């Protein structure tokens, strides 16, 4: 962003400081649970040339399983 590149951070949720840092370009959505078609639509609408996946989790939680995030989501992405 500082170098002039267009960046759209996408996450399930952002902390207030993150929202402030990203201004209005941050997109909050349940990204790891989106299906292939929805992911494709979002990336097409954003005209994404590059996708950098930094999503990860250390262990299963009450909401998600690590395998769903690290394997299934990446496969859909």
């Amino acid at each position: 962003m500082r170098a002039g590149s267009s960046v759209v951070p996408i996450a399930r949720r952002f902390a207030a400081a993150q929202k402030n840092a990203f201004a209005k370009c941050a997109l909050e959505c349940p990204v790891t649970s989106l299906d292939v078609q929805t992911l494709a639509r979002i990336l097409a609408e954003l005209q994404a040339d590059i996708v950098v996946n930094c999503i990860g989790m250390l262990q299963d939680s009450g909401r998600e399983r690590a395998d769903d995030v690290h394997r299934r989501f990446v496969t859909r992405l």
Side-chain angles (χ1 to χ4, degrees), residues 51-72:
V51 175
V52 178
N53 177 23
C54 299
I55 296 173
M57 57 188 293
L58 298 175
Q59 62 189 20
D60 293 347
S61 71
R63 276 183 278 144
E64 292 182 299
R65 296 182 42 88
D67 190 58
D68 291 338
V69 172
H70 294 281
R71 294 196 179 140
R72 292 185 183 100

Side-chain angles (χ1 to χ4, degrees), residues 28-71:
E28 285 187 335
C29 69
V31 66
T32 57
S33 62
L34 298 177
D35 60 37
V36 172
Q37 293 80 13
T38 304
L39 284 167
R41 181 182 50 78
I42 289 172
L43 294 175
E45 288 172 0
L46 295 172
Q47 298 179 347
D49 293 320
I50 298 170
V51 175
V52 178
N53 177 23
C54 299
I55 296 173
M57 57 188 293
L58 298 175
Q59 62 189 20
D60 293 347
S61 71
R63 276 183 278 144
E64 292 182 299
R65 296 182 42 88
D67 190 58
D68 291 338
V69 172
H70 294 281
R71 294 196 179 140

Side-chain angles (χ1 to χ4, degrees), residues 11-36:
R12 178 178 44 245
R13 64 186 168 282
F14 291 98
Q18 291 170 316
K19 286 181 186 178
N20 187 42
F22 295 131
K24 296 184 187 249
C25 66
L27 174 60
E28 285 187 335
C29 69
V31 66
T32 57
S33 62
L34 298 177
D35 60 37
V36 172

